[in-house]
């Protein structure tokens, strides 16, 4: 084994990449090597990925790019899937963990309080209703009444 050859992970903690459909995303392959490694991207199924003009591109430096897209161009095979990257050189070949890639659409939504009835002097429990399409991205950080924070 040549002492000058190596393969290593630059960042193997990337597990999920969530991006806005209006912005797109660039994901570097989390591996590298010496001498320079050949970097390739695959679907978690092991299938090679291919360039889709103006939708998905793998750059020569091993970076995976997903371009901004309209809701009508959404393709779960591309925009909501698991990918992994490999790095290969004379030292061998390594595979990154699967990386979950998920596009999120920017759309208007309203958060509201569920109507409750309670008799005077009793306890009322209020629930914040967040649309399911954005629920995992929204956190309730405070409650207000007439723009005054309730502690």
């Amino acid at each position: 084994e040549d002492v000058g050859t190596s393969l290593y992970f630059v960042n193997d903690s990337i597990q999920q990449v969530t991006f806005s459909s209006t912005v797109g995303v660039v994901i570097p392959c989390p591996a590298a090597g010496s001498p320079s490694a050949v970097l390739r991207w695959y679907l978690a199924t092991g299938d090679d990925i291919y360039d889709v003009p103006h939708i998905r591109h793998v750059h020569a430096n091993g970076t995976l790019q997903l371009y901004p897209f309209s809701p009508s161009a959404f393709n779960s095979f591309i925009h909501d899937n698991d990918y992994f990257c490999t790095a290969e050189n004379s030292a061998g070949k390594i595979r990154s963990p699967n990386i979950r890639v998920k596009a999120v659409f920017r759309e208007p939504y309203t958060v509201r309080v569920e109507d409750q009835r309670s008799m005077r002097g009793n306890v009322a429990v209020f629930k914040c209703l967040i649309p399911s399409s954005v629920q995992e991205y929204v956190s309730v950080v405070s409650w207000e009444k007439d723009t005054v924070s309730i502690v």
Side-chain angles (χ1 to χ4, degrees), residues 66-119:
L66 300 176
Y67 294 96
F69 63 96
S70 65
S72 63
F74 175 78
N75 180 332
S76 62
F77 191 71
I78 294 172
H79 300 114
D80 188 8
N81 211 334
D82 290 345
Y83 291 82
F84 69 87
C85 178
T86 63
E88 185 174 5
N89 67 10
S90 57
K93 184 175 185 177
I94 58 174
R95 177 195 190 277
S96 74
N98 285 355
I99 300 170
R100 181 76 186 153
V101 176
K102 182 176 183 177
V104 176
F105 296 100
R106 291 189 72 177
E107 52 189 53
Y109 66 92
T110 302
V111 174
R112 62 184 184 84
V113 176
E114 183 176 45
D115 290 336
Q116 290 293 337
R117 295 178 188 259
S118 177
M119 300 202 46

Side-chain angles (χ1 to χ4, degrees), residues 1-86:
E1 182 177 321
D2 185 358
V3 177
T5 64
S6 64
L7 282 171
Y8 53 92
F9 289 107
V10 177
N11 181 0
D12 63 349
S13 65
I14 301 171
Q15 295 177 352
Q16 181 167 330
V17 175
T18 304
F19 70 100
S20 169
S21 63
T22 59
V23 177
V25 68
V26 174
I27 308 168
C29 179
S34 176
S36 292
V38 175
L39 305 173
R40 290 192 178 94
W41 283 93
Y42 300 88
L43 292 174
T45 58
D47 296 324
D48 280 318
I49 65 166
Y50 50 88
D51 283 357
V52 179
H54 309 291
I55 296 177
R56 178 176 64 195
H57 177 68
V58 178
H59 294 272
N61 68 357
T63 299
L64 172 63
Q65 182 171 10
L66 300 176
Y67 294 96
F69 63 96
S70 65
S72 63
F74 175 78
N75 180 332
S76 62
F77 191 71
I78 294 172
H79 300 114
D80 188 8
N81 211 334
D82 290 345
Y83 291 82
F84 69 87
C85 178
T86 63

Side-chain angles (χ1 to χ4, degrees), residues 118-130:
S118 177
M119 300 202 46
R120 186 183 304 257
N122 289 336
V123 174
V125 177
F126 293 97
K127 183 176 180 182
C128 185
L129 300 177
I130 303 168

